Amino acid sequence: MAKRGILQEHSVLLELINRFLDVNCVFLSGAFAFLLFHPESVSGLPFQVAAIFSILLTLFLFPRFKLYQTWRGGSLAREINVLTFAWVSVFMGLALATFLTGSGEYY
């Protein structure tokens, strides 16, 4: 039986940790934006909805862009390009949802 490295043995766990960290970064970014731009606001419901929707978009779109695959042997430029397109897709999804619901005045 061939020896597997520690990263290969725990690749599923590492992928779950990566997804968890991505979701936390999105959530914390939304919370920071809310506190920065609307600290006096009593109701943060529009921001909560936007945060939940952005988390769902992240969970849906990032795997479609194959961000959680191994990048060994690939170029750094390609990785940055794919990551940029994934984030732009999340932003475009949020902008589209804001436009379709007419909730732009909250942001």
Side-chain angles (χ1 to χ4, degrees), residues 61-79:
L61 289 174
F62 278 17
R64 303 301 179 273
F65 281 93
K66 296 181 172 57
L67 289 181
Y68 302 113
Q69 73 179 7
T70 184
W71 288 93
R72 255 163 105 186
S75 72
L76 181 61
R78 170 130 173 79
E79 186 176 350

Side-chain angles (χ1 to χ4, degrees), residues 21-61:
L21 290 174
D22 286 342
V23 167
N24 278 329
C25 285
V26 170
F27 174 77
L28 292 174
S29 297
F32 179 71
F34 175 72
L35 293 174
L36 186 64
F37 295 109
H38 297 287
E40 72 286 342
S41 177
V42 175
S43 174
L45 185 63
F47 277 88
Q48 291 172 356
V49 171
I52 290 170
F53 189 62
S54 62
I55 287 170
L56 292 175
L57 277 173
T58 301
L59 288 172
F60 178 76
L61 289 174

Side-chain angles (χ1 to χ4, degrees), residues 90-103:
V90 170
F91 291 140
M92 293 300 291
L94 285 170
L96 181 64
T98 301
F99 175 75
L100 292 176
T101 60
S103 59

